[in-house]
Amino acid sequence: MKRALSALGARFSARARLAHALRLIEDGEVVAGVALLGSVAETGMPEAQFRVGRAYLDGTGVPPSLVEGARWMRRAAEAGWVEARLVLGTLYLFGLPRDGISDHGVRLVAETPDDRVPDPVEAARWAYLAAEAGSPDAQALYGYILLDGPPGLRDPAAAEGWFSRAAAAGCPQGHLGLGLVWMRAAGDEAGQARAAEALRVAADAGLGSAQFLLGALIEQGRGVARDEAAATALYGRAAEAGVRAAQARFGLALLEGRGCARDATRAESWLRRAALAGDREAASLLGDLYASGGTLPPNYVEAALWYRRAASAGHAAAWRALGMLVLTGAGQPRDVTEAARCFRQAAALGDGRAGADLGNLLLGQDVSEDDRRDLGRYFADAAAAGDPVAAFNFSICLTHGLGMARDEPAAAAWMLRAADGVVNAQYWYGRMKLEGRGCAADTAAGRGWIARAAEAGMADAQVALAQLMLTGRGGPRDHAGAAALYRAAAEQGQVDAMFSLGAMLGGGHDLPVDRGQAQHWFRMAAERGNALGQLMLGRYLLRGLAGETDPAEARRWLERAAAQGVSDAAAELVRLGPGPAARVETG
């Protein structure tokens, strides 16, 4: 009966026709209802225009159309409908198809979703009109534009005011906006706590962005107690709400067991969702996950796919990882040239290790002369642009004539430029000064450069400086200082330093003799293949110099040293006589 009366009334007034259209939609006759809404909208009724625009945007009763939806929203907004102004402001903020926008509104065109153009100025205009009319959501939207819009529109103080009005009206987006403003302005713990409280209100209302930001504060312990489990739970809620950054962070938490049980399978699923949505860090993590294996089987083809996705988005470490896969032929054909291209991209994006990888690639035996020339040109250009790692590698090219003519003076000049920021360059420039290669010999300056590299912890530089201290070349003799340097290098695994430290502790230097420690370091060197260490360990065990005698073991070490061409070891074996295996039993 009501429906019949509604249909009857629709014959007499636009308002009644609107009510009838809404009843049809409510009863499930959506197509008929939206068609009737359209006829009412054509009469100029703002509410009907808004509802038709909403139908096109949602694809309710008509084919979805961003342009048609915007066209009807514009008509309703110009007629003063507040909700239409809010929606139109949002549409302009996120972008409409380029050909669908005109000075007089929006016209119907073929839609191209990838060719949408944001218009923050128009967005601000319509959001402001709706905000002034009292819409809390519009107040929050206008606040966001003032906070993060183009420089000409930004006004953080005004943004805070609009967010406060929206929050006072109970709008969760207003609380989120206040949290953002206060986070950025926070100079102490109290400011961060204030921001966290505003974000918590928005997070409790279900806003994914607020859940993610609050999770980040809780994970870092900024303004709130640090709690990895609570942070991970918030990341999970935000991930479910579709926040891309939260999906990546939640996937990482599952991968590493941060505040939750480790679950590589779920981690892969969330990282994949984030990566497919465009998160380059998530794509790189997926590459790592598939390359390293662990609880999932290694899949280098899949790893390369995700590294490429991350690399194409500008992820430096992903370019380097991809270069490593290509260089080793993991999951794809080995290609030195392609590996070099990947390393160059990584280095250009700031990955310092990639510059060293390029240098190692340059010195590789299987690199063609064409590849060397290409790498040399890259190093020359990057060095000229101020890259110290490239300057170091360019100097190596010039020193050895790799892909270019040999030029030691130019090599020394570039090595000096690199030495301000590259430890290896300090060491090699020091050697150049000591030897007068490409520059005037200056032992004091050479020792000084090597000392800088040694102080930075470079083991080879520590050994070189210790040798200079022993001989007094380029500066005073200092046996105690030399022994300390040998020990530092030996503890890093430098085998020659192990032998040299043993030799110093064994006597003959300005140090207390400690043959027990000397034998320890000789053994460390011997076990790592150092021939002189094997000789000295054999002598110590043969003669009991450290209080321990073991002729059988002594013979084994002396035989190893002799096999490496140490004549003193061969002489010791002759004096020792034939071993047990050489005796012939007689009966």
mmCIF file of all heavy atoms in Angstrom, residues 28-49:
data_model
loop_
_atom_site.group_PDB
_atom_site.id
_atom_site.type_symbol
_atom_site.label_atom_id
_atom_site.label_comp_id
_atom_site.label_asym_id
_atom_site.label_seq_id
_atom_site.Cartn_x
_atom_site.Cartn_y
_atom_site.Cartn_z
ATOM 1 N N GLY A 28 15.085 -3.302 -3.459
ATOM 2 C CA GLY A 28 15.890 -4.166 -4.319
ATOM 3 C C GLY A 28 15.767 -3.889 -5.793
ATOM 4 O O GLY A 28 16.465 -4.514 -6.600
ATOM 5 N N GLU A 29 14.908 -2.980 -6.180
ATOM 6 C CA GLU A 29 14.767 -2.625 -7.591
ATOM 7 C C GLU A 29 15.714 -1.469 -7.908
ATOM 8 O O GLU A 29 15.312 -0.325 -8.179
ATOM 9 C CB GLU A 29 13.310 -2.261 -7.909
ATOM 10 C CG GLU A 29 12.345 -3.431 -7.719
ATOM 11 C CD GLU A 29 10.934 -3.091 -8.144
ATOM 12 O OE1 GLU A 29 10.783 -2.347 -9.140
ATOM 13 O OE2 GLU A 29 9.984 -3.542 -7.466
ATOM 14 N N VAL A 30 17.015 -1.786 -7.838
ATOM 15 C CA VAL A 30 18.057 -0.756 -7.868
ATOM 16 C C VAL A 30 18.098 -0.050 -9.223
ATOM 17 O O VAL A 30 18.185 1.186 -9.294
ATOM 18 C CB VAL A 30 19.424 -1.382 -7.540
ATOM 19 C CG1 VAL A 30 20.524 -0.320 -7.605
ATOM 20 C CG2 VAL A 30 19.387 -2.030 -6.168
ATOM 21 N N VAL A 31 18.051 -0.797 -10.318
ATOM 22 C CA VAL A 31 18.164 -0.183 -11.649
ATOM 23 C C VAL A 31 17.031 0.803 -11.876
ATOM 24 O O VAL A 31 17.239 1.950 -12.310
ATOM 25 C CB VAL A 31 18.190 -1.260 -12.742
ATOM 26 C CG1 VAL A 31 18.150 -0.609 -14.119
ATOM 27 C CG2 VAL A 31 19.426 -2.147 -12.588
ATOM 28 N N ALA A 32 15.819 0.389 -11.552
ATOM 29 C CA ALA A 32 14.664 1.272 -11.737
ATOM 30 C C ALA A 32 14.758 2.483 -10.820
ATOM 31 O O ALA A 32 14.450 3.622 -11.217
ATOM 32 C CB ALA A 32 13.377 0.505 -11.468
ATOM 33 N N GLY A 33 15.198 2.252 -9.597
ATOM 34 C CA GLY A 33 15.304 3.341 -8.638
ATOM 35 C C GLY A 33 16.331 4.382 -9.071
ATOM 36 O O GLY A 33 16.077 5.591 -8.992
ATOM 37 N N VAL A 34 17.495 3.931 -9.547
ATOM 38 C CA VAL A 34 18.538 4.874 -9.969
ATOM 39 C C VAL A 34 18.100 5.601 -11.231
ATOM 40 O O VAL A 34 18.359 6.803 -11.400
ATOM 41 C CB VAL A 34 19.878 4.141 -10.174
ATOM 42 C CG1 VAL A 34 20.909 5.058 -10.821
ATOM 43 C CG2 VAL A 34 20.394 3.604 -8.849
ATOM 44 N N ALA A 35 17.386 4.907 -12.115
ATOM 45 C CA ALA A 35 16.888 5.576 -13.327
ATOM 46 C C ALA A 35 15.933 6.708 -12.950
ATOM 47 O O ALA A 35 15.976 7.809 -13.527
ATOM 48 C CB ALA A 35 16.193 4.560 -14.229
ATOM 49 N N LEU A 36 15.063 6.457 -11.962
ATOM 50 C CA LEU A 36 14.140 7.496 -11.514
ATOM 51 C C LEU A 36 14.911 8.634 -10.835
ATOM 52 O O LEU A 36 14.595 9.817 -11.034
ATOM 53 C CB LEU A 36 13.112 6.896 -10.554
ATOM 54 C CG LEU A 36 12.025 7.849 -10.041
ATOM 55 C CD1 LEU A 36 11.279 8.522 -11.197
ATOM 56 C CD2 LEU A 36 11.047 7.096 -9.132
ATOM 57 N N LEU A 37 15.975 8.297 -10.068
ATOM 58 C CA LEU A 37 16.812 9.329 -9.460
ATOM 59 C C LEU A 37 17.402 10.248 -10.525
ATOM 60 O O LEU A 37 17.475 11.466 -10.354
ATOM 61 C CB LEU A 37 17.975 8.682 -8.673
ATOM 62 C CG LEU A 37 17.723 8.239 -7.242
ATOM 63 C CD1 LEU A 37 18.980 7.580 -6.679
ATOM 64 C CD2 LEU A 37 17.322 9.425 -6.364
ATOM 65 N N GLY A 38 17.815 9.639 -11.646
ATOM 66 C CA GLY A 38 18.393 10.426 -12.728
ATOM 67 C C GLY A 38 17.420 11.443 -13.284
ATOM 68 O O GLY A 38 17.793 12.598 -13.566
ATOM 69 N N SER A 39 16.185 11.020 -13.440
ATOM 70 C CA SER A 39 15.198 11.964 -13.984
ATOM 71 C C SER A 39 14.932 13.102 -13.001
ATOM 72 O O SER A 39 14.722 14.242 -13.398
ATOM 73 C CB SER A 39 13.895 11.218 -14.323
ATOM 74 O OG SER A 39 13.256 10.765 -13.133
ATOM 75 N N VAL A 40 14.953 12.791 -11.696
ATOM 76 C CA VAL A 40 14.775 13.840 -10.688
ATOM 77 C C VAL A 40 15.989 14.763 -10.674
ATOM 78 O O VAL A 40 15.864 15.989 -10.568
ATOM 79 C CB VAL A 40 14.564 13.216 -9.294
ATOM 80 C CG1 VAL A 40 14.417 14.319 -8.237
ATOM 81 C CG2 VAL A 40 13.330 12.320 -9.283
ATOM 82 N N ALA A 41 17.192 14.184 -10.795
ATOM 83 C CA ALA A 41 18.417 14.988 -10.799
ATOM 84 C C ALA A 41 18.420 15.970 -11.946
ATOM 85 O O ALA A 41 18.907 17.106 -11.819
ATOM 86 C CB ALA A 41 19.633 14.065 -10.870
ATOM 87 N N GLU A 42 17.898 15.577 -13.089
ATOM 88 C CA GLU A 42 17.871 16.463 -14.253
ATOM 89 C C GLU A 42 17.023 17.703 -14.002
ATOM 90 O O GLU A 42 17.182 18.725 -14.672
ATOM 91 C CB GLU A 42 17.332 15.709 -15.472
ATOM 92 C CG GLU A 42 18.275 14.646 -16.019
ATOM 93 C CD GLU A 42 19.515 15.232 -16.704
ATOM 94 O OE1 GLU A 42 19.644 16.469 -16.748
ATOM 95 O OE2 GLU A 42 20.349 14.446 -17.170
ATOM 96 N N THR A 43 16.120 17.645 -13.016
ATOM 97 C CA THR A 43 15.294 18.822 -12.707
ATOM 98 C C THR A 43 16.063 19.845 -11.889
ATOM 99 O O THR A 43 15.572 20.940 -11.644
ATOM 100 C CB THR A 43 14.031 18.405 -11.937
ATOM 101 O OG1 THR A 43 14.404 17.943 -10.625
ATOM 102 C CG2 THR A 43 13.260 17.321 -12.665
ATOM 103 N N GLY A 44 17.285 19.444 -11.415
ATOM 104 C CA GLY A 44 18.112 20.376 -10.655
ATOM 105 C C GLY A 44 18.086 20.167 -9.160
ATOM 106 O O GLY A 44 18.618 20.993 -8.412
ATOM 107 N N MET A 45 17.489 19.070 -8.666
ATOM 108 C CA MET A 45 17.443 18.835 -7.225
ATOM 109 C C MET A 45 18.825 18.363 -6.739
ATOM 110 O O MET A 45 19.303 17.308 -7.157
ATOM 111 C CB MET A 45 16.388 17.777 -6.874
ATOM 112 C CG MET A 45 16.297 17.515 -5.363
ATOM 113 S SD MET A 45 15.149 16.192 -4.968
ATOM 114 C CE MET A 45 13.595 17.031 -5.303
ATOM 115 N N PRO A 46 19.493 19.096 -5.839
ATOM 116 C CA PRO A 46 20.850 18.750 -5.412
ATOM 117 C C PRO A 46 20.962 17.367 -4.767
ATOM 118 O O PRO A 46 21.918 16.636 -5.021
ATOM 119 C CB PRO A 46 21.204 19.853 -4.414
ATOM 120 C CG PRO A 46 20.316 20.994 -4.774
ATOM 121 C CD PRO A 46 19.039 20.379 -5.270
ATOM 122 N N GLU A 47 19.998 16.998 -3.911
ATOM 123 C CA GLU A 47 20.097 15.702 -3.249
ATOM 124 C C GLU A 47 20.061 14.572 -4.273
ATOM 125 O O GLU A 47 20.805 13.602 -4.184
ATOM 126 C CB GLU A 47 18.973 15.526 -2.234
ATOM 127 C CG GLU A 47 19.091 14.185 -1.502
ATOM 128 C CD GLU A 47 17.975 13.941 -0.507
ATOM 129 O OE1 GLU A 47 17.121 14.838 -0.310
ATOM 130 O OE2 GLU A 47 17.945 12.836 0.085
ATOM 131 N N ALA A 48 19.190 14.684 -5.273
ATOM 132 C CA ALA A 48 19.108 13.657 -6.310
ATOM 133 C C ALA A 48 20.401 13.619 -7.119
ATOM 134 O O ALA A 48 20.902 12.542 -7.472
ATOM 135 C CB ALA A 48 17.917 13.911 -7.219
ATOM 136 N N GLN A 49 20.952 14.796 -7.431
ATOM 137 C CA GLN A 49 22.218 14.837 -8.173
ATOM 138 C C GLN A 49 23.331 14.137 -7.375
ATOM 139 O O GLN A 49 24.135 13.373 -7.927
ATOM 140 C CB GLN A 49 22.596 16.297 -8.455
ATOM 141 C CG GLN A 49 21.647 16.981 -9.424
ATOM 142 C CD GLN A 49 21.827 18.485 -9.459
ATOM 143 O OE1 GLN A 49 22.406 19.072 -8.542
ATOM 144 N NE2 GLN A 49 21.304 19.119 -10.509
#
